[in-house]
Amino acid sequence: MREFAFIDSLRARVRSNDGVVRGIGDDAAIVRFAPGEECVVTTDTLVAGVHFPLDAAPADIGYKTAAVNLSDLAAMGATPRFCTFALTLPSLDGGFVEPLIKGLLALLDTHQVALVGGDTTRGPMSLTLTAIGSLPAGTALGRDGARAGDVVYVSGTLGDAAAALALRGQRGDSLDGERKLARTRLQQRLARPTPRVALGQALRGIAHACIDVSDGLAADLGHICRASGLAAVLDSVALPASRALLTLVDDPGQRLALQLGGDDYELCFSVAPENEEQLAAIAAATHTALTRIGTLGPGEGVHFLDADGRIMSAPAAGYEHFR
Ligand code: ADP
Ligand code: MG
């Protein structure tokens, strides 16, 4: 397939929304925002072998490209609206690009995000999505708004994606039915993370600070601590684990290391204690479990308490490129 045939086919299948003035097909896209709205922009690149395994299903790669970007918008409390997609591939043939686009558009359509432009070039595979969202002016959830005395929460469960990565290559033949099912669940969480879009928006005006857990809880909450000039003390035993993780990883130390491993795309946020009671309604409305995992106070860094309430030595660090 040639570049322009590809762009034409893409143009024919993308869905628009009421903010799109001009989408794919001109030199640039035109989008509009309501008065009093701010525009929130984020870009993430996915590189084969770094952000997804070399043998990952193309539909999962497309889905994850959308998911990680929508997760960044969610962490700001923004409503995702538009995106552009820069695609570099060795070839547009060979059955790779069709499922890739399908996976990408599946998640974009779920959130009514319009693909309004991009670029298509030949080269080693790389996928870059720029996602654009909106929110009422002044309501974005930053990393720097946390206050001493805040309580720290995390959505969903931690460690599934890291566990799926750790279990890769391990043969499944020896696993019984329950464990096989659990492993499939973990693999799904790695391949198709759920961006907490509704939760992020619901936390506007309630959370003081928010971040999505991509590099690992300690690393990401560390950004909030640094930006807000605070220290976090987390209860290691309180970190939420999925049934699948509990089924497959018995050792609590191993489990904790995986829970700090990253790639979960859950939201970690801080709220004033007096706002905690509003979280039950938000959890119910967004169908997202919310777990209290610790507190913020004066100092610096992210610290963990063991089951006896004693400070642990640093359990594990998150992911960092060029380390
Ligand atoms: P230009 O030469 O002006 O960069 P292109 O020929 O690259 O234009 O692109 C034509 C149109 O197709 C533009 O609207 C561009 O945004 C869109 N487009 C190209 N590649 C993609 C892609 N991978 N995803 C979405 N839109 C794309
Ligand atoms: Mg171009």
Side-chain angles (χ1 to χ4, degrees), residues 3-4 6-8 10-11 14 23-29 83-88 101 104 115-121:
E3 178 186 344
F4 294 112
F6 168 70
I7 294 173
D8 282 344
L10 195 56
R11 183 181 180 178
V14 301
I24 293 174
D26 215 312
D27 293 317
C83 65
T84 62
F85 182 42
L87 173 63
T88 305
I101 296 298
L104 176 77
L115 178 60
V116 295
D119 200 20
T120 306
T121 51

Side-chain angles (χ1 to χ4, degrees), residues 92-107:
L92 290 174
D93 300 312
F96 182 86
V97 74
E98 164 55 31
L100 176 84
I101 296 298
K102 204 169 180 175
L104 176 77
L105 294 182
L107 189 60

